[in-house]
Amino acid sequence: NIHHLYSSGAHALAMAMAATHSSASSGAPDQAQVTGKPLIDFRDVTSTVLADAAQAAVDEVTCIALHPRIAIIGTKLGSLWRLDTSGRKSLKISTNAAHIHSVSMDSEGCMVATGTADGRINVMPLEVGAGDPWVTEHSQLAVLSVVLCPEYRSAGGDGHVVVAGGEDGRLVRYRPRMMGVGRTVLHEGEGPITRIVWRTPLVCWSNDTGVKLFNIASGQRVSFIPRPAPGPVASPSPCQLSWAADDHLLLAWGTVVKVAVIRVQGGDGSSPAVHVSNGNKTLYAEVKYQFNTSGIVCGLVSSGSKSLAVLTADPTSTRASLALCSFGGDMFHTAEVKMMGGAYPAHTQLCSVAPHLPMYIAAPRDIVCFQIRDLLEYAVQLLEQGSFDDAIRLAECGGEGIQGLQHIVCLKCVAPHLRAGDFERALATVGRFRDLEAPTWQECVVLFDRFSGLQHLVVAIPVPPRAPRLPHDVYDEALRRLVAAPSMLVAVLSWWPADIFSVDALAEQLRQSLGSEELSAERIASLDPDDRYRVEALAQVASAGGDLQAATRLYRDLGSPEVFGLLRLGLVGEKPMAGLARESIRRLFEIDDHEACNVLVEHYSVVTVRIVVEGLAGCDNRWKHEYLKRLFAKDEVVGAPYHMQMVELYAEYEPQALLNFLRASERYPLQDALQVCRARGLLEEEAYLLGKAGHVNEALKVLLEQVGDVGRAVQFAAEYQDPRLWEFLISFVLERPHLLVPLLDHLEDLDSLFGEVGKDSGRTQPPQNAKPAHVLRRLPPGTPVSRIALIVGRVFKSVELSKSLTEHCNTLSRREVRARKRAIIHTHSRGTLVAPDRRHCSVCGCSISQSPPDDAAIIGKLPNPEGASDLGPGSAESGSDPWVSQALANLRSNGSSASSHPSMSPRSASGSSFAVGLGGFGCSGLNTSTFAAAVAIPPAGNSRHSGVVLHGQCISHARCYEVSSLLGRTPTARFPTRPRAPSGVSDSSMLIGGAVEIGSQSIRDRE
């Protein structure tokens, strides 16, 4: 009946209203209704296991496993009990002397496995023929957790697998074989393993470090969830593990609860891996939810598709409570669990098979069976009792996945507020629900409209992109009912996207509500306010449907400013819209002249200037003035034929801006514009036009005599910089001493028109008679002028500043010239200190402190040409060698002799410095107590000077180098041993034939 109630929305609404009306009429619900059946029904079934008082005094419940048909309970004394799901019938299966720490069953409830304190694992059938029993040794320490393969029986031999772990810290997979039991260690070395759960193909276990997941089908490690940091109070309870679904793992430490989702590696991560039974997939775990509880968690199981049951106990082990909450920790129900033997967090367990089946709480001296009622049934009970807040909390936190729960609770909680006319509380109630389904929204639309409150609901209906999209039927239903409230319909259509509702259906309904007559401009003007709102809604619908022309016509006839937005969209390449704009020019200006100007100026290429001006004929000239002004600001040329009209319009409506227009435009007749200005008495504009026409004297006279504005006159004269204009201006002011102070002020400010110091403004500099000093010089002595002392002081300071700047600039120029000269001299005055008496000429072999020999001796020192014999120095000096004679003749024919070269005159000095200049370059020596000289012979075409500073007596041997070069003969190395350089002189520099050698490369070769 409950599900049938949801399937019939109208019937559910009727029941909700009837129940609410019944509760309201009776004043308060009766006690029977308030104390109805609880959501969780607890039953104590301890006596079925610990029935004997003597046994109850020594034995304790240690573990429990559930199946839809039976429950298996293990005890401290080694007993194994079998109970039916109701907990009323019990049967002892086996008894041994070992403490049973863990028990597990397969999915069919045919096999059971136990882990005992003596380190053994026992596997036995629960039914005859279900399977073969077997026993194996795990270790000498206790087995704390054991789990059977869920498909132990159905999978055959491959499924005969048990996974166990204990105090030794090993996780071992056991498989029975023909000879013994096979073992595979899956994990070890991280502390005792306290819990193991298996949901094919994933095995999950907990130890001291955290929780690990292992894909037993593929042999791959899936994920690791670390243990949270310990709280201020140490938790005596071990980790609690439980599977809520194939892809949801529940885990808790102390007071921290986590919900992990199993996902497929490499996916987008948005959807969980719901088919994890395929062991070939690569999986990983992601903690999606986490929250804290008030007590220590003793167990947690799934109580619904998105909810869980959490069993907690206080640290004193005196009280336990069972809470139902969402995965995010939103609690919607709490019940206290009565446990006579005490609630010990470390020894209390919560076990479940499915949310709709009985669940068990097992403590050392208590076994409690409970079942959670159907949440929909309990929600209806709460609504009948008037507990609306509890019902809403239940539906919101635990109602996900339960069909009809939120629907019924929402409608039954909203109805009383609507009946009372409290639409704000009704809307607040709807807002408490998240992710309502489409049928619920549709029923809410009907319900709110029935009580004339639909305009309050539409603002809360989810609309993309900020909220999830609902089906078209919900939006269509809301808009269809809002036709009766057209003002709200217009507001809703302004923010709802056009693709979420049916445009054609709404347009047809609006036309029917307006009648069959044509919507002409005259009829629209005669409509009442509601029908005008409907016409506006029809225009919005037409615009949403893409019919911009129809929407523009309707907005135009309504006089709505929305027409301009559509025109901006439609005038881009659409000819029908251009025609509509041309025929609606007057109407557009009547709606909003500023927006009309903006639109028509933006699209002047579609709606031409001529058409606009003609369309405004007979209208207020202010519209034409505003349009032409904005058009001129956008394009100065397109409205050129109307610039004379603009002069007249400026003179009439905006005379203060006429001067700027006259300066900006060149496309108006000067005489006609001058007549307009004279007729309107616009003197400044008249002066500007006179100056533009060339009558500058008349213009200045108008500014001085008629306007009386010295500042404007100064600006006018500064535009032309004609000395005659300045003379006329100054003479006019000198005749009227009261204008002298303003003149000096404006002349002082005139300097700002010519830019900053050091920057060229591009303006013509004023003449000398336009300076304040010139005015003061022409001032007759004894002229009484008030308030002139301050200005005169500033003029004097300005003159002094100008003089000081000139002097400092000249000083800086001279310093810069001297600095550059020094830099050039320094660049050409570099040398290396050498001792002349220790250096020899490489041509003649003489010391450079001695005079060079004559040309014949030099030629004799050069290597002979091929075929000539070396006759010795005497032969060369006497000229008996034919080739020597020929060489001397060649030197004379080239005009080169010892007397013709400026550097060949031997010079020497003692105790002073001297310089030898060669090739136009100078070299300065050092003015020291020792003899110093500089010799440099630059190569041909070299523009850079290099030199050597010689310490001692020096004679230039440049002639030796010149003779050798002219005859094309390389001197023979007569002095192979290079003398040691004197102290303080680098060996890398040596004078050879008047040149400087650096390393092994001469300056000539280097350059």
Side-chain angles (χ1 to χ4, degrees):
N1 291 335
I2 295 298
H3 292 288
H4 177 68
L5 180 66
Y6 170 66
S7 62
S8 177
H11 183 52
L13 179 61
M15 285 188 63
M17 296 178 62
T20 305
H21 179 70
S22 175
S23 300
S25 62
S26 60
D30 55 21
Q31 189 66 20
Q33 289 179 331
V34 173
T35 59
K37 296 176 62 176
L39 178 59
I40 304 175
D41 185 16
F42 295 98
R43 288 187 300 107
D44 189 353
V45 295
T46 308
S47 59
T48 58
V49 176
L50 303 178
D52 190 352
Q55 181 185 8
V58 296
D59 203 359
E60 295 179 356
V61 175
T62 57
C63 54
I64 184 171
L66 284 186
H67 183 266
R69 295 182 291 107
I70 58 175
I72 302 296
I73 297 175
T75 67
K76 182 178 180 181
L77 297 180
S79 300
L80 201 61
W81 293 83
R82 172 176 175 172
L83 286 73
D84 61 2
T85 53
S86 63
R88 294 183 175 88
K89 297 180 181 180
S90 62
L91 176 65
K92 183 181 290 187
I93 300 176
S94 65
T95 301
N96 54 49
H99 181 159
I100 300 177
H101 282 285
S102 177
V103 64
S104 174
M105 285 189 294
D106 65 344
S107 60
E108 297 184 7
C110 297
M111 301 294 292
V112 62
T114 61
T116 59
D118 57 1
R120 290 188 302 169
I121 300 171
N122 300 292
V123 179
M124 64 187 73
L126 295 176
E127 298 177 357
V128 177
D132 299 327
W134 53 277
V135 180
T136 184
E137 296 286 342
H138 179 75
S139 69
Q140 295 180 355
L141 300 177
V143 177
L144 299 180
S145 184
V146 63
V147 61
L148 270 175
C149 176
E151 290 81 20
Y152 187 90
R153 183 181 180 187
S154 60
D158 294 337
H160 291 176
V161 177
V162 176
V163 177
E167 293 181 352
D168 62 344
R170 294 186 306 136
L171 183 73
V172 184
R173 178 176 59 188
Y174 296 95
R175 189 192 303 271
R177 298 178 179 174
M178 293 293 296
M179 300 295 292
V181 178
R183 293 179 173 85
T184 303
V185 178
L186 303 179
H187 181 77
E188 62 181 341
E190 290 183 351
I193 295 175
T194 57
R195 289 286 189 274
I196 306 174
V197 291
W198 189 342
R199 190 124 173 183
T200 304
L202 299 180
V203 174
C204 177
W205 70 92
S206 64
N207 53 28
D208 291 343
T209 61
V211 173
K212 291 181 169 62
L213 287 90
F214 181 78
N215 191 334
I216 202 165
S218 62
Q220 296 178 353
R221 298 178 180 177
V222 174
S223 191
F224 168 68
I225 302 174
R227 181 175 183 172
V233 179
S235 172
S237 176
C239 177
Q240 305 296 330
L241 294 175
S242 176
W243 286 101
D246 288 345
D247 51 9
H248 281 76
L249 176 66
L250 310 177
L251 56 151
W253 277 282
T255 61
V256 180
V257 177
K258 296 183 180 182
V259 181
V261 181
I262 311 302
R263 302 187 185 276
V264 178
Q265 190 75 31
D268 56 1
S270 59
S271 59
V274 295
H275 300 293
V276 299
S277 58
N278 185 359
N280 295 327
K281 292 185 178 179
T282 303
L283 309 174
Y284 71 98
E286 176 188 1
V287 177
K288 189 174 182 180
Y289 305 97
Q290 178 175 334
F291 60 92
N292 287 25
T293 61
S294 57
I296 299 174
V297 179
C298 303
L300 71 168
V301 294
S302 173
S303 62
S305 60
K306 291 292 185 178
S307 62
L308 58 135
V310 182
L311 178 66
T312 59
D314 58 4
T316 61
S317 303
T318 58
R319 297 181 57 186
S321 61
L322 184 67
L324 302 181
C325 61
S326 65
F327 280 175
D330 298 324
M331 195 173 303
F332 59 89
H333 186 80
T334 304
E336 184 178 355
V337 182
K338 296 181 180 180
M339 304 181 70
M340 304 303 296
Y344 303 95
H347 304 285
T348 303
Q349 303 179 37
L350 175 62
C351 192
S352 169
V353 178
H356 63 282
L357 295 178
M359 305 179 187
Y360 277 81
I361 298 175
R365 301 299 175 88
D366 295 279
I367 303 175
V368 179
C369 177
F370 69 92
Q371 186 169 2
I372 302 175
R373 290 178 56 191
D374 183 80
L375 295 183
L376 179 59
E377 181 183 352
Y378 185 69
V380 173
Q381 176 183 316
L382 291 175
L383 293 172
E384 291 174 353
Q385 295 173 359
S387 302
F388 296 134
D389 290 338
D390 294 338
I392 293 175
R393 192 181 305 110
L394 174 66
E396 182 60 23
C397 300
E400 187 173 355
I402 302 177
Q403 186 179 14
L405 179 57
Q406 286 187 335
H407 180 86
I408 294 175
V409 172
C410 179
L411 294 181
K412 294 195 72 173
C413 292
V414 167
H417 302 309
L418 294 178
R419 291 176 63 86
D422 194 348
F423 299 113
E424 293 184 0
R425 292 189 63 184
L427 185 61
T429 301
V430 174
R432 294 179 62 180
F433 293 89
R434 294 171 296 181
D435 302 329
L436 285 174
E437 297 178 351
T440 307
W441 280 111
Q442 200 161 359
E443 289 292 341
C444 286
V445 169
V446 175
L447 189 60
F448 272 78
D449 184 55
R450 181 178 301 173
F451 293 97
S452 303
L454 183 57
Q455 64 272 21
H456 297 274
L457 180 66
V458 291
V459 298
I461 297 177
V463 175
R466 295 185 178 180
R469 181 192 297 265
L470 298 176
H472 276 259
D473 297 340
V474 178
Y475 302 112
D476 290 343
E477 182 68 23
L479 294 177
R480 185 181 66 81
R481 292 177 177 271
L482 281 177
V483 173
S487 60
M488 191 62 191
L489 177 62
V490 171
V492 170
L493 289 175
S494 64
W495 80 74
W496 276 16
D499 58 341
I500 66 174
F501 60 90
S502 300
V503 174
D504 296 337
L506 181 59
E508 182 62 27
Q509 186 177 0
L510 286 171
R511 292 190 188 97
Q512 292 177 4
S513 64
L514 290 170
S516 58
E517 298 182 16
E518 183 182 358
L519 292 174
S520 60
E522 294 77 10
R523 180 166 181 253
I524 291 176
S526 63
L527 293 176
D528 58 19
D530 285 345
D531 285 340
R532 289 180 65 86
Y533 276 122
R534 292 186 179 93
V535 173
E536 185 175 356
L538 185 60
Q540 290 176 316
V541 173
S543 175
D547 192 354
L548 297 182
Q549 188 174 0
T552 304
R553 288 183 182 276
L554 292 175
Y555 278 130
R556 180 200 63 184
D557 297 339
L558 285 170
S560 173
E562 298 293 333
V563 66
F564 300 107
L566 295 181
L567 283 175
R568 285 188 173 92
L569 296 176
L571 286 177
V572 181
E574 188 172 344
K575 294 182 179 180
M577 287 292 288
L580 181 61
R582 295 187 189 102
E583 67 185 27
S584 308
I585 291 175
R586 181 190 294 266
R587 180 58 176 162
L588 294 177
F589 275 87
E590 291 174 353
I591 296 172
D592 190 336
D593 56 332
H594 293 284
E595 281 296 320
C597 288
N598 291 335
V599 172
L600 295 175
V601 167
E602 290 174 8
H603 302 88
Y604 67 84
S605 61
V606 179
V607 184
T608 61
V609 182
R610 181 182 60 81
I611 294 176
V612 176
V613 173
E614 292 176 357
L616 294 177
C619 301
D620 190 350
N621 283 335
R622 290 185 180 86
W623 294 348
K624 185 191 300 183
H625 168 62
E626 189 68 23
Y627 169 73
L628 292 175
K629 182 178 71 171
R630 298 191 185 188
L631 182 66
F632 180 78
K634 184 177 180 63
D635 192 334
E636 299 180 2
V637 180
V638 68
Y642 304 96
H643 282 196
M644 189 58 216
Q645 291 188 30
M646 293 183 66
V647 173
E648 298 173 353
L649 293 172
Y650 267 111
E652 182 177 0
Y653 298 110
E654 202 174 352
Q656 68 277 7
L658 175 58
L659 183 59
N660 293 332
F661 174 74
L662 294 175
R663 294 177 185 274
S665 176
E666 298 285 345
R667 297 172 178 83
Y668 54 84
L670 287 177
Q671 294 300 325
D672 296 344
L674 187 60
Q675 292 179 5
V676 171
C677 293
R678 286 173 176 171
R680 294 284 180 179
L682 303 176
L683 299 177
E684 294 185 14
E685 291 75 7
E686 179 185 353
Y688 171 76
L689 292 175
L690 287 173
K692 192 174 183 180
H695 308 297
V696 291
N697 293 327
E698 297 181 19
L700 186 61
K701 188 175 182 180
V702 169
L703 291 175
L704 291 174
E705 295 181 354
Q706 299 184 36
V707 180
D709 191 345
V710 177
R712 300 286 298 181
V714 170
Q715 293 179 4
F716 180 83
E719 293 179 2
Y720 296 94
Q721 301 298 0
D722 188 352
R724 291 173 297 176
L725 285 179
W726 286 109
E727 191 64 28
F728 176 79
L729 173 61
I730 294 172
S731 300
F732 181 86
V733 172
L734 290 177
E735 295 175 0
R736 297 163 179 82
H738 67 281
L739 298 178
L740 184 60
V741 173
L743 175 63
L744 294 175
D745 283 337
H746 289 291
L747 289 178
E748 228 181 332
D749 297 336
L750 193 63
D751 292 338
S752 62
L753 299 176
F754 301 96
E756 300 178 2
V757 176
K759 294 184 180 179
D760 186 8
S761 63
R763 300 172 63 95
T764 305
Q765 294 295 323
Q768 290 299 322
N769 59 350
K771 302 291 183 179
H774 176 74
V775 177
L776 292 178
R777 293 189 189 99
R778 292 192 54 187
L779 189 65
T783 303
V785 181
S786 59
R787 297 178 287 107
I788 197 175
L790 185 61
I791 299 176
V792 171
R794 289 201 301 266
V795 171
F796 289 160
K797 289 181 180 179
S798 176
V799 173
E800 291 176 0
L801 177 62
S802 177
K803 180 180 178 181
S804 175
L805 287 175
T806 303
E807 293 176 354
H808 281 80
C809 289
N810 293 335
T811 302
L812 291 175
S813 298
R814 289 194 295 270
R815 289 179 181 176
E816 184 178 0
V817 170
R818 286 197 296 268
R820 290 183 177 272
K821 287 182 177 180
R822 292 193 189 101
I824 293 174
I825 294 172
H826 177 71
T827 303
H828 294 81
S829 302
R830 295 176 299 170
T832 302
L833 184 65
V834 297
D837 57 347
R838 299 187 181 183
R839 300 288 176 176
H840 300 269
C841 178
S842 62
V843 177
C844 67
C846 299
S847 174
I848 62 176
S849 61
Q850 301 176 358
S851 299
D854 56 6
D855 290 349
I858 294 173
I859 295 174
K861 301 292 183 177
L862 294 175
N864 297 336
E866 186 176 354
S869 60
D870 189 2
L871 301 177
S875 300
E877 293 173 1
S878 61
S880 59
D881 190 7
W883 85 271
V884 173
S885 303
Q886 184 63 34
L888 290 173
N890 292 338
L891 289 175
R892 295 187 187 98
S893 64
N894 291 334
S896 177
S897 63
S899 60
S900 64
H901 200 283
S903 65
M904 292 310 297
S905 299
R907 302 176 61 185
S908 63
S910 177
S912 61
S913 62
F914 73 97
V916 179
L918 298 176
F921 293 85
C923 182
S924 62
L926 299 175
N927 188 10
T928 62
S929 60
T930 60
F931 174 74
V935 176
I937 300 179
N942 182 22
S943 61
R944 182 179 179 184
H945 173 77
S946 298
V948 179
V949 178
L950 303 175
H951 185 74
Q953 187 178 7
C954 170
I955 300 298
S956 175
H957 283 245
R959 183 60 181 174
C960 299
Y961 181 80
E962 182 180 12
V963 171
S964 173
S965 299
L966 291 175
L967 296 179
R969 294 291 183 268
T970 302
T972 304
R974 300 178 184 272
F975 307 96
T977 302
R978 185 174 179 177
R980 184 176 62 86
S983 177
V985 180
S986 173
D987 277 332
S988 62
S989 300
M990 183 175 70
L991 184 67
I992 300 178
V996 177
E997 183 183 27
I998 300 178
S1000 60
Q1001 184 180 15
S1002 67
I1003 289 181
R1004 184 183 188 110
D1005 295 335
R1006 184 191 65 182
E1007 293 292 332

